[in-house]
Amino acid sequence: MCGDKVLVRGKNIHKTYKTWFPFPRKIEVLKGASLEIRKNEITGIIGENGSGKSTLMKILVGELKKDEGVVDRRGTIGWCPQELRLYNRLTVNETFRLFGEAYGLSKDEIYRSKRALSVRLDFKEYLDQRVDRLSEGNKQKVNLSISLMHSPDVLMLDEPYTGFDWKTYESFWEISEELVKDGTAIALISHIIEKKEKLDRVYELEGGKLKEVKKVV
Amino acid sequence: MIDKGMVTTGVRYNLMTFFRNPFNLAALILLPLIAIEGMGYALGTMPELPGIIAMPEEEGRMMGALFSTSFLTGLMGLFQVISSREADRRLNVVGGGRFGLLFMRVSTILIVGIFVTMINYLIFIRGVDPASHHLIVLSLLSVSIMYGFFGVIIGVIVPHDLEGSLVMVFLADMDVFLGSGVFETEEWIQRTFPTHYPSRILEEGVVEGTFTSDYALFSILYMIVLFTAALSIFYVTSRGDLG
């Protein structure tokens, strides 16, 4: 089980993608990756394109099955996937309502979190617009907000600021710091992390294994 | 555990998503019109068909109605699975659950199936004076439900719009042409196709108005088999590490 501070622990995770058509093929992505995501910390997971960062995150949130290893999770999880996983023809308001109900939030809680996040990330004038009619940056803001709306204990973010303007990018880091102060554990995936000083712990994914390259002092 | 509130919202939003797609709206009106009127006209120019009790034009309209009902609901089931696959997986992980998602999809298929049935029925009876309206609706409704589930199955196995649509048009075509018995085929081949029994009910509804319970029972059996297959395949493939 996870320790007091550790909210997500992955141990010896293996994952191989197998295809059979037109020819049998195997791609071994993770070869025994282990990591810990702790409360009050921002953990960075870096690595080259195609190194398996998103696969690792999908396994950590439970979206993808691992072949081997153990994942222990504690508390509620917020997941912002790299690709936009929203219903294109729903409006932003409807998107908040649907995901809010899936999280088990009341109408009032959905309304309050939607209002707070839309003001903070600057997309309140687009709440009645359909997701597929938003700009890429605004789509990503909604994508991120959906993962934040239920104030999760653990926040898993896969390249969350792609397409953000500078102001929103700064707001993102401010929100992250506030959440961490309040006890949230954040895992952040990126192939480039400009603000390394903001990270408490950094893992580098290379050759299917994770190496801790920065530890909190 | 299914969250009723989320499922109700999900079904409502699924329907809104369906009707917000201009292609769906156009197809919902134009395809039945073209298929029913076109096939009725095409077969109406032919002499009486051997072994077929309905008039050629009526037979053409029946084939058109069966094709447009099956193809439209199949396409709806297919697009529903393909277009929402990624968002569905996220909703599953955050608390929607696989049963909740399944319930949302099946309910939407049934509701849109009723829409498709009614539109096809209304266009169909423009040129036919059927002996039993109930049997016409029963026949088209069973076809729409069967093909809604077919759409889900194909959407999971062939998860691409174009390829999935091609499979669907081929399947609906073959089914209606060979299953309806218009073309001389071995009896067991006709019975293998899912629209065979609904096409018999449709024919009885047009010509005699008599109800043969065997036809209804076999139609229900096909629906149960397809429902179980769709349910299993959707359930298994949407499983992540959380169950």
Side-chain angles (χ1 to χ4, degrees):
Chain A
M1 277 305 290
C2 302
D4 270 349
K5 285 210 71 168
V6 181
L7 295 186
V8 176
R9 173 177 289 134
K11 212 171 168 187
N12 197 29
I13 301 167
H14 287 256
K15 180 71 188 174
T16 302
Y17 288 110
K18 296 171 192 137
T19 55
W20 57 273
F21 188 81
F23 305 105
R25 198 172 161 218
K26 281 183 182 177
I27 304 167
E28 210 177 347
V29 182
L30 300 174
K31 304 172 185 171
S34 300
L35 84 167
E36 287 179 349
I37 298 163
R38 294 160 183 258
K39 63 195 294 186
N40 299 109
E41 282 187 20
I42 303 181
T43 303
I45 302 168
I46 57 170
E48 291 173 3
N49 292 332
S51 58
K53 303 184 294 296
S54 296
T55 297
L56 176 67
M57 187 156 278
K58 284 177 192 170
I59 289 172
L60 292 176
V61 297
E63 197 260 350
L64 189 66
K65 282 191 87 164
K66 57 197 176 299
D67 297 333
E68 258 181 69
V70 181
V71 177
D72 289 323
R73 305 175 191 92
R74 268 182 31 197
T76 51
I77 290 186
W79 173 40
C80 177
Q82 184 180 17
E83 65 278 20
L84 198 74
R85 289 190 178 207
L86 300 171
Y87 298 96
N88 275 330
R89 286 197 165 84
L90 292 185
T91 64
V92 178
N93 271 323
E94 291 160 354
T95 303
F96 269 92
R97 169 91 187 268
L98 182 62
F99 278 91
E101 287 189 359
Y103 286 130
L105 302 181
S106 67
K107 275 185 188 169
D108 194 42
E109 286 170 323
I110 295 171
Y111 175 75
R112 271 189 279 121
S113 68
K114 178 179 69 184
R115 200 179 53 178
L117 287 163
S118 61
V119 169
R120 197 75 192 270
L121 291 172
D122 197 22
F123 61 90
K124 64 179 184 304
E125 64 265 47
Y126 304 110
L127 289 173
D128 285 323
Q129 274 209 29
R130 270 167 46 172
V131 170
D132 60 353
R133 291 176 181 165
L134 297 175
S135 68
E136 290 307 310
N138 282 324
K139 282 179 187 170
Q140 191 55 24
K141 288 177 193 177
V142 178
N143 201 27
L144 173 65
S145 301
I146 292 301
S147 65
L148 288 166
M149 68 180 291
H150 58 309
S151 309
D153 299 312
V154 187
L155 195 52
M156 303 277 208
L157 308 172
D158 191 350
E159 307 269 6
Y161 36 69
T162 311
F164 280 2
D165 51 47
W166 183 253
K167 195 177 145 204
T168 315
Y169 179 73
E170 289 291 322
S171 298
F172 163 77
W173 282 108
E174 279 170 28
I175 294 171
S176 300
E177 283 175 349
E178 286 166 24
L179 289 170
V180 164
K181 264 185 208 159
D182 291 341
T184 308
I186 298 181
L188 175 70
I189 278 185
S190 186
H191 58 282
I192 307 160
I193 293 181
E194 297 90 347
K195 300 205 172 194
K196 272 192 180 163
E197 73 283 357
K198 306 261 187 198
L199 306 178
D200 301 297
R201 196 178 295 271
V202 179
Y203 290 95
E204 188 174 357
L205 187 57
E206 202 183 328
K209 290 193 174 178
L210 280 168
K211 189 170 66 180
E212 200 169 336
V213 292
K214 179 187 169 187
K215 243 181 200 168
V216 68
V217 179
Chain B
M1 195 58 190
I2 296 176
D3 180 342
K4 277 185 200 163
M6 190 216 74
V7 170
T8 313
T9 307
V11 172
R12 193 153 56 87
Y13 286 173
N14 273 343
L15 289 171
M16 281 159 63
T17 301
F18 178 79
F19 288 110
R20 277 175 188 169
N21 185 342
F23 170 81
N24 288 345
L25 290 177
L28 211 54
I29 305 296
L30 292 177
L31 187 71
L33 205 61
I34 293 167
I36 296 171
E37 299 293 342
M39 289 177 89
Y41 176 77
L43 261 75
T45 59
M46 296 172 92
E48 285 189 25
L49 301 162
I52 300 293
I53 48 173
M55 297 300 287
E57 191 190 339
E58 289 173 340
E59 193 61 38
R61 293 183 77 85
M62 283 194 273
M63 287 175 69
L66 287 171
F67 173 74
S68 71
T69 305
S70 55
F71 183 59
L72 267 176
T73 44
L75 217 55
M76 181 269 301
L78 175 91
F79 287 161
Q80 206 186 141
V81 171
I82 294 174
S83 65
S84 56
R85 177 189 308 271
E86 295 301 315
D88 273 357
R89 290 181 79 98
R90 185 174 187 182
L91 200 62
N92 177 26
V93 167
V94 304
R98 278 190 292 168
F99 279 117
L101 285 172
L102 261 174
F103 207 81
M104 272 164 57
R105 296 284 158 235
V106 170
S107 308
T108 311
I109 284 170
L110 293 178
I111 295 168
V112 177
I114 292 170
F115 264 105
V116 172
T117 299
M118 291 322 292
I119 288 170
N120 275 282
Y121 163 73
L122 290 172
I123 295 172
F124 178 72
I125 58 165
R126 272 166 29 101
V128 177
D129 185 20
S132 166
H133 288 265
H134 292 103
L135 291 179
I136 308 292
V137 173
L138 179 72
S139 159
L140 296 180
L141 189 62
S142 54
V143 169
S144 74
I145 294 171
M146 281 181 200
Y147 266 82
F149 295 139
F150 256 130
V152 172
I153 296 168
I154 293 167
V156 172
I157 299 171
V158 190
H160 304 284
D161 291 347
L162 180 63
E163 291 87 335
S165 308
L166 288 174
V167 173
M168 190 51 71
V169 75
F170 180 74
L171 189 70
D173 251 345
M174 293 298 285
D175 189 352
V176 171
F177 278 96
L178 296 178
S180 63
V182 170
F183 299 102
E184 213 168 298
T185 329
E186 297 272 347
E187 185 74 15
W188 69 269
I189 295 178
Q190 288 182 28
R191 285 180 182 169
T192 313
F193 286 97
T195 61
H196 174 69
Y197 292 105
S199 75
R200 299 276 72 85
I201 298 173
L202 188 61
E203 196 172 69
E204 286 191 342
V206 170
V207 181
E208 290 159 350
T210 51
F211 176 70
T212 308
S213 56
D214 276 5
Y215 294 159
L217 280 175
F218 278 108
S219 298
I220 291 169
L221 189 70
Y222 263 107
M223 273 188 257
I224 293 171
V225 169
L226 288 169
F227 174 69
T228 312
L231 205 75
S232 315
I233 204 162
F234 184 86
Y235 191 75
V236 169
T237 52
S238 61
R239 186 173 62 187
D241 214 19
L242 299 173

